[in-house]
Amino acid sequence: MKLLSAYGVALLAAQAAGVAIKHRINGLTLTEHPDAAKRELLQKYKVKALGFNCVSFYVDWALVEGKPGEYRADGIFDLEPFFNAAKEAGIYLLARPGPYINAESSGGGFPGWLQRVNGTLRTSDKGYLDATDNYAANVGATIAKHQITNGGPIILYQPENEYTSSCCSVEFPNADYMQYVEDQARNAGVVIPLINNDASAEGHNAPGTGKGAVDIYGHDSYPLGFDCANPTVWPSGDLPTDFRTLHLEQSPTTPYSIVEFQGGSYDPWGGPGFAACAELLNNEFERVFYKNDFSFQIAIMNLYMIFGGTNWGNLGYPNGYTSYDYGSALTESRNITREKYSELKLLGNFAKVSPAYLTASPGSLTTSGYADTADLSVTPLLSNGTGSFFVIRHSDYSSEDSTSYKLSLPTSAGTVTIPQLGGTLILNGRDSKIHVVDYNVSGTNIIYSTAEVFTWKKFSDSKVLVIYGGSGEHHELSIATKSNVTVVEGSASEITSKQTGKAVVIGWDVSATRRIVQVGDLKVLLLDRNSAYNYWVPQLATDGTEPGFSTQETVASSIIVKAGYLVRTAYVEGADLYITADFNATTAIEVFGAPSNAKNLFINGDKAKYTVDKNGIWSTEVKYTAPDISLPSLESLEWKYLDTLPEIQSSYDDSLWPDADLDKTPNTFRELTTPTSLYSCDYGFSTGYLLYRGQFVATGNESTFLVDPQGGSAFGSSVWLNGTYLGSWTGLYVYSDYNATFDLPQLEAGKTYVITVVIDNMGLEENWTVGEELMKTPRGILNFELSGREASAISWKLTGNLGGEDYEDKVRGPLNEGGLYAERQGFHQPEPPSQNWKSSSPLDGISEAGIAFYSASFDLDLPTGWDVPLYFNFGNSTTPEPYRVQLYVNGYQYGKYISNIGPQTNFPVPEGILNYRGTNWVAVSLWALSSEGAKLESFELSYTTPVLTALAEVQSVDQPKYTARKGAY
Ligand code: IPT
């Protein structure tokens, strides 16, 4: 398949669809975490408003094929509502079903049973390929059904993920393997282009490289890395400079694509927290790094992540905690209050209205010729009068200096030295600008603008160009016109202008007060950046109420709205203009370009009184009065308590437990050092807490017990001998397993003893490097020694979630629950049989080592029409006693809190998991890892700013309540 230009993607997608070529793709996409898709949280309007036109999504194989051969993608795992939501809002999709996805997810998306396949993962080994077939065929068919050729939103398919790195003499890159993964998609009916994401620009599988080549070559880039602990440090040399050169070497015939560019960062257990990541990858990072990508004429730019969401139900890998906020533009609780969201909106909307950018010719980064100081570097994207772009930044990209400069730019009016009317241009610190030249605003030629373009529109009676600059900056704009300049809003004395033959030049200092200058039929809004953040450019729906895809027509028919928190949609019905928007404060609204047939204004369905000024701007206001939100006190709920470690009672019967009796392991990663396998995945247990029971008849000479449990980073473990607590490993990030030796009390010869070991399984390792086989790193017990005895003296049983791969809860899926007694019984679900349980609260806790389980219900009655983020908060640890908590909300595991490691103490739970107007069930397991016991220091439900929202009523997901489970032990 040959792609001719940067328009290739659009061309290909439209041709395949057999329709006229209307789709203009500016190549901006964003990535969502798998859980977001599953919960239908596309956040479609928040993405659409950015000016972005595509979302990439992973599918997590482990969630949909928990049992080999049984693909289940219904209920919350159904992809189709997500696809439909994308189509409605007019967002294209890039499908990334793996089978390997990485994504900081358990096993990198591989189901636990892959630990048993005979074959190296992500290679041509038959055992591995066979294992992928069922998933690939099913997910591929669903994707094929919704690809653009069938009227759906999916335009690109990414086989594999970062197929880049190998070790251990495995054949690499293996063309047969890559081809196999691609054939799986094709055989399932996928006809859209295949795009890959090399971890770095190494040219793997680029078109023309033979077997295994994709249609569009793409690579990933995380230039600032993941060091959120130092959020202001931009190490030298981290800004890419060679991407254009590499592109021309590696894949010159395809649109230049970065399939993952850094949009945030992950954060480990005990890490600095996502607020620090949001600071490291903040709005300044976006300005400098994203514009740098633009300097390479990037055509497909996908940010990872735009919305990370939550590692609910054990979805995460061992190195990360429950939150997958990622410091992204959309927070985990769906807020868009981070400045990086607003900054991204400026850039995305600029790209959306600047198609000339895709046909200009990128030049090389230079310190000479364009700016008059070597402290600044410029990359030109040149054209002959049809739109040139000059990307400017500090030569030392991390400089915090303020640098004055003059520009010398080639324009259709000759080379111009700017500013022409006096004053000084300035670049303040970590900033980068795109200066446009010969920029076409619907037939009006902007000869240059030093202020940056947010958007422009042609309305029936005028054109509007919106440009902005940083506070205190001086800017200049030149327009090819013989018309006069009139200041139609704001003070004329603050604006200088001069007619120079065929052009007019306008100079001004940026101010927080808007000025509008009129030149012919063009109105130019001069804004400061912070004001520009309040502007939105909703596409007017052409059919119905939804914006639809961004075609030349729909982009052209957009209006410009100044509002506040969020503008979702705009559409006209007869003489009525409808705007849907969200508000977090009383907000003045202005509409630019209301269609001439529109006479009435409705905001969120309510008719609004508005005024029209002499410039035709409609003005109204939406009042915000914070609603009364009353939340129950979690501390005073009627908590019921159950000891969820009955295993240590002398009467406990484990006869229904699976025997750990395999004397060989299918796992090729590590040889057994125990007589039988104690690897949990060998027995189908790959998620959540694991429990082991080892029984032996004592000789009386045993003095110590050594055990080496492995649960992954930050895991913990506790050990009992019958009812006697031997001790715990309380966890550190750097330990995935830990050898601990416990002194035993004097044992009685001939008496039977049981050792109980509880292990926190933090998720399975990823498998980033092909050949290393890290995903097969076992969970469970690696080794043990009972002093003075043969290992075979102990016979072991184990359990994890009830049924293992024959998991009980088909609604919440294969990963959600672990192996605690209460979980096996299903007591974490709504309405457990707790009538006869003791009344006791997790705030009282337990006074010795053990695991307690608590359940309670509460009602919520939140006002409709408000989007209110809710959080479960655990108090910061003030006592030294370590404990681990699992939080269940209506049966869904929505948090793992580790008091002695952190950092997460606040756990957002979205509406839909919580019933905002109804009854909710919360359950907490509290594992005390010291003989002092533990209790929650505090436990509260809290909210952040309620957003007055146009969001439709959120339907709750299925929340099956407790029913007695057959065969539960
Ligand atoms: C790359 C992966 O493709 C993606 O799934 C995710 O893990 C991301 O990075 C990090 O958050 S892996 C690359 C950074 C080595």
Side-chain angles (χ1 to χ4, degrees):
M1 215 167 306
K2 197 158 190 282
L3 298 168
L4 297 172
S5 71
Y7 284 97
V9 181
L11 191 69
L12 194 73
Q15 268 177 345
V19 297
I21 299 162
K22 302 199 274 209
H23 296 288
R24 191 181 68 220
I25 299 189
N26 294 328
L28 297 168
T29 68
L30 305 125
T31 296
E32 291 213 358
H33 196 48
D35 85 301
K38 302 307 180 306
R39 290 192 277 111
E40 300 171 34
L41 282 174
L42 176 61
Q43 299 296 309
K44 53 186 177 180
Y45 301 120
K46 291 176 189 163
V47 170
K48 183 84 175 173
L50 290 171
F52 280 51
N53 59 7
C54 187
V55 163
S56 73
F57 66 97
Y58 279 132
V59 182
D60 190 307
W61 178 10
L63 287 172
V64 290
E65 197 178 358
K67 182 177 185 184
E70 276 186 22
Y71 179 86
R72 302 184 70 101
D74 48 7
I76 61 168
F77 302 108
D78 186 357
L79 292 166
E80 298 196 328
F82 176 80
F83 297 160
N84 295 337
K87 189 177 170 182
E88 271 168 19
I91 292 172
Y92 294 112
L93 295 176
L94 156 53
R96 319 171 87 197
Y100 184 69
I101 62 168
N102 213 63
E104 287 74 74
S105 55
S106 179
F110 282 162
W113 50 267
L114 278 201
Q115 287 201 356
R116 306 194 299 271
V117 305
N118 180 16
T120 303
L121 306 171
R122 305 175 69 193
T123 70
S124 286
D125 286 356
K126 188 170 182 317
Y128 170 71
L129 293 181
D130 287 353
T132 65
D133 280 342
N134 182 46
Y135 166 70
N138 278 286
V139 78
T142 306
I143 290 167
K145 186 174 156 200
H146 292 270
Q147 60 195 331
I148 191 165
T149 49
N150 291 330
I154 306 173
I155 56 167
L156 290 166
Y157 184 103
Q158 181 197 296
E160 252 286 347
N161 187 83
E162 292 194 330
Y163 184 64
T164 303
S165 195
S166 71
C167 78
C168 321
S169 345
V170 92
E171 182 192 343
F172 192 90
N174 178 338
D176 289 332
Y177 166 66
M178 197 61 185
Q179 190 61 51
Y180 190 92
V181 180
E182 292 166 19
D183 289 347
Q184 282 179 322
R186 294 296 187 220
N187 294 339
V190 171
V191 299
I192 50 178
L194 304 178
I195 187 167
N196 68 337
N197 68 330
D198 221 354
S200 47
E202 294 174 38
H204 290 114
N205 301 107
T209 56
K211 202 170 193 185
V214 290
D215 301 313
I216 301 172
Y217 174 75
H219 68 87
D220 296 350
S221 176
Y222 291 80
L224 274 192
F226 307 98
D227 186 13
C228 302
N230 295 295
T232 59
V233 178
W234 287 12
S236 68
D238 276 6
L239 187 76
T241 53
D242 59 352
F243 281 173
R244 173 80 188 160
T245 319
L246 292 171
H247 169 64
L248 293 177
E249 280 166 27
Q250 293 168 346
S251 193
T253 59
T254 61
Y256 179 52
S257 305
I258 304 186
V259 187
E260 287 177 28
F261 194 79
Q262 184 152 28
S265 171
Y266 49 72
D267 190 46
W269 285 103
F274 284 115
C277 298
E279 191 188 340
L280 177 68
L281 292 321
N282 65 1
N283 48 305
E284 292 181 347
F285 165 80
E286 293 179 326
R287 288 216 281 274
V288 175
F289 283 79
Y290 297 175
K291 287 175 188 171
N292 185 56
D293 287 343
F294 273 53
S295 80
F296 308 123
Q297 202 174 51
I298 189 165
I300 295 180
M301 178 181 185
N302 183 33
L303 301 181
Y304 189 101
M305 310 283 297
I306 193 66
F307 175 47
T310 305
N311 288 316
W312 66 275
N314 301 307
L315 185 61
Y317 80 151
N319 303 59
Y321 44 95
T322 305
S323 175
Y324 196 65
D325 175 277
Y326 213 77
S328 294
L330 275 72
T331 71
E332 183 183 15
S333 49
R334 310 177 316 285
N335 278 317
I336 49 173
T337 44
R338 286 181 178 149
E339 189 169 352
K340 62 187 291 186
Y341 176 87
S342 303
E343 181 66 45
L344 198 54
K345 185 175 63 166
L346 300 185
L347 191 60
N349 279 285
F350 163 69
K352 190 172 177 178
V353 296
S354 305
Y357 156 77
L358 288 172
T359 50
S361 304
S364 304
L365 180 73
T366 175
T367 53
S368 64
Y370 302 112
D372 64 342
T373 161
D375 289 343
L376 300 179
S377 295
V378 174
T379 313
L381 295 104
L382 297 170
S383 75
N384 200 1
T386 56
S388 298
F389 301 82
F390 297 86
V391 184
I392 189 164
R393 62 164 168 87
H394 275 113
S395 300
D396 165 6
Y397 82 98
S398 67
S399 168
E400 302 193 73
D401 294 346
S402 288
T403 306
S404 302
Y405 64 104
K406 281 196 170 50
L407 283 171
S408 171
L409 300 181
T411 76
S412 57
T415 297
V416 193
T417 301
I418 306 164
Q420 301 190 70
L421 304 184
T424 315
L425 304 179
I426 194 159
L427 189 76
N428 287 318
R430 290 174 171 179
D431 195 4
S432 171
K433 294 178 188 175
I434 301 180
H435 296 312
V436 298
V437 164
D438 291 317
Y439 187 81
N440 180 1
V441 175
S442 189
T444 298
N445 185 26
I446 306 299
I447 296 179
Y448 64 83
S449 172
T450 65
E452 292 188 276
V453 173
F454 169 55
T455 192
W456 59 265
K457 287 292 156 237
K458 161 128 182 54
F459 300 123
S460 53
D461 55 352
S462 66
K463 297 173 192 167
V464 171
L465 168 67
V466 184
I467 56 180
Y468 65 92
S471 161
E473 292 174 359
H474 179 74
H475 283 291
E476 220 176 71
L477 165 75
S478 173
I479 306 171
T481 180
K482 289 188 172 158
S483 302
N484 291 330
V485 176
T486 323
V487 179
V488 296
E489 187 185 295
S491 153
S493 64
E494 292 169 7
I495 292 171
T496 51
S497 66
K498 193 175 162 195
Q499 196 72 43
T500 61
K502 288 182 187 153
V504 69
V505 182
I506 302 166
W508 73 98
D509 289 337
V510 171
S511 133
T513 310
R514 179 174 75 201
R515 276 81 56 93
I516 304 181
V517 294
Q518 173 120 23
V519 187
D521 65 349
L522 176 68
K523 287 193 175 75
V524 187
L525 272 60
L526 310 179
L527 304 178
D528 72 324
R529 181 183 286 110
N530 285 345
S531 305
Y533 290 162
N534 290 324
Y535 285 72
W536 305 83
V537 200
Q539 287 170 208
L540 281 185
T542 46
D543 180 20
T545 60
E546 296 282 342
F549 291 105
S550 299
T551 63
Q552 264 153 23
E553 289 87 343
T554 55
V555 171
S557 76
S558 306
I559 56 172
I560 299 171
V561 180
K562 175 180 176 285
Y565 183 72
L566 170 68
V567 172
R568 290 171 179 267
T569 63
Y571 54 94
V572 179
E573 280 176 5
D576 302 332
L577 172 62
Y578 288 86
I579 291 175
T580 68
D582 286 16
F583 303 93
N584 62 0
T586 293
T587 303
I589 295 178
E590 293 175 311
V591 180
F592 300 77
S596 51
N597 55 323
K599 300 285 172 267
N600 305 309
L601 177 63
F602 289 80
I603 312 267
N604 293 345
D606 294 331
K607 192 163 181 180
K609 280 209 177 97
Y610 67 93
T611 56
V612 186
D613 74 359
K614 63 176 176 23
N615 295 313
I617 305 168
W618 292 18
S619 296
T620 187
E621 189 186 69
V622 168
K623 286 248 183 309
Y624 174 98
T625 314
D628 283 336
I629 306 279
S630 76
L631 297 177
S633 151
L634 295 181
E635 304 193 355
S636 45
L637 301 181
E638 286 180 27
W639 289 100
K640 295 291 196 141
Y641 155 84
L642 185 79
D643 174 7
T644 188
L645 199 62
E647 288 85 0
I648 61 172
Q649 292 162 19
S650 55
S651 56
Y652 187 75
D653 174 10
D654 64 12
S655 55
L656 288 175
W657 284 42
D659 293 318
D661 57 359
L662 291 172
D663 57 8
K664 285 201 258 313
T665 177
N667 189 327
T668 48
F669 183 78
R670 182 183 181 278
E671 290 191 1
L672 289 185
T673 43
T674 51
T676 61
S677 168
L678 300 176
Y679 299 164
S680 67
C681 292
D682 288 0
Y683 303 92
F685 301 116
S686 58
T687 186
Y689 289 176
L690 300 168
L691 283 90
Y692 287 79
R693 286 171 62 77
Q695 184 175 314
F696 64 98
V697 180
T699 59
N701 298 325
E702 302 85 351
S703 58
T704 59
F705 175 67
L706 170 149
V707 67
D708 183 7
Q710 178 160 280
S713 275
F715 88 105
S717 174
S718 295
V719 183
W720 283 264
L721 176 79
N722 291 351
T724 306
Y725 175 59
L726 295 183
S728 293
W729 165 246
T730 59
L732 283 173
Y733 178 72
V734 290
Y735 287 94
S736 291
D737 72 303
Y738 191 80
N739 258 307
T741 304
F742 303 102
D743 290 331
L744 300 177
Q746 179 59 50
L747 306 188
E748 250 178 70
K751 192 178 156 190
T752 298
Y753 290 87
V754 176
I755 289 170
T756 300
V757 182
V758 182
I759 303 168
D760 193 354
N761 172 12
M762 313 301 285
L764 305 178
E765 304 295 335
E766 294 181 319
N767 207 75
W768 195 73
T769 305
V770 178
E772 209 174 8
E773 295 290 84
L774 279 187
M775 182 268 162
K776 291 184 177 174
T777 310
R779 294 288 175 257
I781 293 177
L782 300 182
N783 202 9
F784 66 89
E785 271 170 47
L786 184 60
S787 62
R789 303 293 301 275
E790 294 287 315
S792 56
I794 305 188
S795 59
W796 289 94
K797 288 176 173 266
L798 83 163
T799 192
N801 65 304
L802 185 70
E805 285 153 19
D806 274 309
Y807 55 101
E808 281 288 322
D809 188 345
K810 299 291 188 277
V811 170
R812 299 181 185 89
L815 299 185
N816 185 57
E817 61 191 45
L820 288 181
Y821 169 71
E823 295 174 292
R824 295 181 329 243
Q825 295 291 329
F827 295 160
H828 54 287
Q829 301 179 99
E831 299 181 34
S834 55
Q835 299 78 7
N836 299 325
W837 300 3
K838 222 176 94 186
S839 289
S840 175
S841 142
L843 282 303
D844 300 331
I846 48 178
S847 55
E848 55 187 10
I851 312 182
F853 186 80
Y854 303 89
S855 170
S857 71
F858 60 87
D859 291 341
L860 287 178
D861 187 16
L862 292 165
T864 52
W866 292 87
D867 187 3
V868 188
L870 292 186
Y871 310 78
F872 289 80
N873 302 328
F874 296 96
N876 277 328
S877 189
T878 50
T879 62
E881 310 310 337
Y883 60 89
R884 290 174 181 242
V885 171
Q886 293 183 112
L887 168 69
Y888 277 101
V889 178
N890 293 319
Y892 290 85
Q893 196 255 76
Y894 253 82
K896 281 180 88 163
Y897 168 55
I898 305 182
S899 73
N900 52 314
I901 296 181
Q904 190 180 4
T905 55
N906 295 1
F907 295 78
V909 178
E911 183 174 6
I913 296 297
L914 275 167
N915 307 314
Y916 273 24
R917 283 165 288 284
T919 301
N920 294 277
W921 285 83
V922 57
V924 158
S925 66
L926 173 69
W927 174 2
L929 291 93
S930 98
S931 51
E932 303 301 310
K935 62 178 188 203
L936 297 188
E937 291 129 275
S938 69
F939 189 33
E940 279 163 6
L941 197 57
S942 70
Y943 66 95
T944 49
T945 311
V947 175
L948 181 60
T949 185
L951 186 71
E953 179 91 19
V954 173
Q955 281 177 13
S956 287
V957 299
D958 245 7
Q959 300 164 355
K961 59 186 187 192
Y962 167 81
T963 49
R965 292 178 167 183
K966 264 210 200 101
Y969 50 84

